[in-house]
Each structure stands twice: as C-alpha cells, then as structure tokens.
Amino acid sequence: MKNLLLLSITDFKLIFRDSSLRIFLAMPLLIIAMVLFGLPALIEEYPIVQHYASYILMGASLQTSTMFGFIYSMVLIHEKDIQVAKVYGVLPVSKMGFIASRQVIPFTLSALVTFLLLQVQSFYIFKIEDAILFSLLCGLFAPLLSLSVTLFSKNKMEGMTWFKLMNLLVSIPLVGFFIPCCAWAFAIIPTYWVFETLNSMALGEMILMPIIIGFGLSIGLLYLLIWRFSKSHFS
C-alpha cells in the first residue's frame, strides 16, 4: 500500500516536469476565477445570463474534473510510450488494485476543486452534504476520462483527439435542458445524472434519485474500465 501511494505521488510529480501539463493544472483555478469574477460581471452587463447560471455551473463543475482526467491520461500514455507499463505489469500486486490506487489523486483533486467551486460561487446556497456528494460524483470523472482516453489511444496525439471527443460526449447531456422532450435520451450517459443532481440542488429539491443513479452508473463504468485497462495496459 505504501509503495502504491509513493507511485501515485510520483505520477503527480511527473506532471510538474512536463511544461505542457503544468498549464492544464492551472485550468481548474481559471475556471473557478471565471465563475467567481467573470460570471457575475457578465450577469451585471447582461441580466438574462442569470437564467443560465445553473447550466454554466454544471459545465464548470464537470470541466474541473475532465482537466485532471486529461492530465493523468497523458501520464499513462507516456508510460505506455516508453514501455514502463510493461515493467509495472510484472509487479507482485493486483493489477486492478494497482490501477485504482493510481486514480486516487486525480479523483481527490477533482472532488476538492469541485467542492471549492460550489463554495465560492455566489448564485446558490447549497446544503453542505449535497455539495460533498455532488463533488464526489464529479470527482469520479477524472479517473473515468483518464482511463478511457488511455485505453483508446496509442500515443499522446491520439490521446488529445480522444479527449476532445470524450469531453464532447460527457457535455452533450446539457443539451437536454434546452430540449426537455429529448432529455431522457441522454440518461444513459453518467454525466446526465451529474447535471440532474446539480439542477435539483439549484431548485432546492431532493437529490436522492439522481445522485444514486449517477454513482451507480459511474462506479459500474469505472469498474469495467479498470478491468479492461488491467488486461491491455501492461502487455
């Protein structure tokens, strides 16, 4: 366990050695700054934007997680490129446990930044327990993105292309709020339930159903990705 924790910390240190990835580390903070300062200024200038504040907050919450997912997918693809993944494959540890432990840091960072975002925004007052659950749900999208992008990519260039496609896919359920008659068509995508959870929070409603379905779909998909990753990443 101690060695796996050290490896997770090493992954995090690798990010600081790559100048292109260091830039992406600043993105979640820029998103918070936009919500904290940019959005209120925009609403003051164009009051109609106030009606869309919850949707902007949904997108901002998800993007903080996807940024960490992208950063860690680049780390995993790099270790595939330089054949280090094969070395990890012969370690006397459970491969699925090994993969899961390396996703703890991106998950934790994503959940913390999302929680911070909910606390600093000035548009809604959320219950603390709802904000924690929502942040944990959002945090799952960092490992979901990093594993799925790495699985489909042979190199960093392909990784960037797949990330753009995945990022579009997870954002698409937002469309459902503008065409309610078709909203349920997006229910198979886990982020639909992330957005539904935040929408319920903004309306002051119970979040029990969307949060349970969101966790169920996300954790189920994460388990499948870890299982598939364990079969292909180390060979």
Side-chain angles (χ1 to χ4, degrees):
M1 187 63 194
K2 184 180 176 182
N3 290 336
L4 293 178
L5 181 60
L6 288 173
L7 183 59
S8 296
I9 294 172
T10 302
D11 286 343
F12 193 65
K13 287 179 178 176
L14 283 174
I15 295 168
F16 288 94
R17 294 178 189 168
D18 189 327
S19 58
S20 60
L21 293 183
R22 283 202 300 269
I23 294 172
F24 284 97
L25 270 180
M27 290 300 290
L29 297 178
L30 287 175
I31 291 171
I32 289 177
M34 286 296 293
V35 170
L36 188 56
F37 304 111
L39 187 54
L42 185 64
I43 289 174
E44 189 174 344
E45 187 72 21
Y46 304 101
I48 193 171
V49 178
Q50 173 75 50
H51 299 298
Y52 303 99
S54 61
Y55 308 133
I56 295 171
L57 202 54
M58 290 174 197
S61 301
L62 187 64
Q63 287 306 309
T64 57
S65 293
T66 58
M67 282 300 112
F68 286 114
F70 171 75
I71 291 167
Y72 273 80
S73 69
M74 291 298 108
V75 171
L76 293 173
I77 291 171
H78 178 67
E79 76 178 27
K80 242 184 353 181
D81 281 346
I82 61 174
Q83 307 291 309
V84 171
K86 290 182 179 177
V87 178
Y88 290 152
V90 299
L91 294 176
V93 295
S94 158
K95 287 185 174 61
M96 291 186 68
F98 178 75
I99 297 163
S101 66
R102 296 182 70 188
Q103 297 300 317
V104 169
I105 287 185
F107 164 72
T108 304
L109 287 174
S110 299
L112 285 175
V113 173
T114 303
F115 183 74
L116 179 62
L117 176 65
L118 295 184
Q119 298 309 302
V120 300
Q121 58 79 32
S122 56
F123 308 101
Y124 304 98
I125 299 174
F126 298 126
K127 295 177 184 173
I128 191 72
E129 60 271 25
D130 288 354
I132 291 172
L133 287 171
F134 176 78
S135 301
L136 292 174
L137 180 57
C138 248
L140 288 174
F141 285 86
L144 282 170
L145 261 291
S146 71
L147 292 177
S148 54
V149 168
T150 306
L151 269 175
F152 290 114
S153 309
K154 294 177 182 173
N155 52 54
K156 288 185 178 179
M157 190 59 71
E158 283 190 15
M160 290 181 191
T161 304
W162 274 107
F163 172 74
K164 290 174 185 173
L165 184 63
M166 297 285 181
N167 201 17
L168 177 65
L169 180 65
V170 297
S171 302
I172 275 182
L174 269 175
V175 175
F177 290 100
F178 299 94
I179 44 174
C181 61
C182 304
W184 281 94
F186 304 108
I188 193 172
I189 303 174
T191 45
Y192 170 85
W193 298 101
V194 174
F195 299 145
E196 278 294 322
T197 300
L198 189 55
N199 189 49
S200 296
M201 289 166 62
L203 295 173
E205 298 174 350
M206 295 279 288
I207 65 167
L208 190 61
M209 186 181 82
I211 200 77
I212 288 176
I213 298 176
F215 271 116
L217 276 176
S218 302
I219 291 174
L221 183 57
L222 185 59
Y223 179 84
L224 288 175
L225 281 172
I226 290 174
W227 174 79
R228 185 69 187 89
F229 200 86
S230 70
K231 302 293 183 187
S232 63
H233 188 65
F234 306 104
S235 57

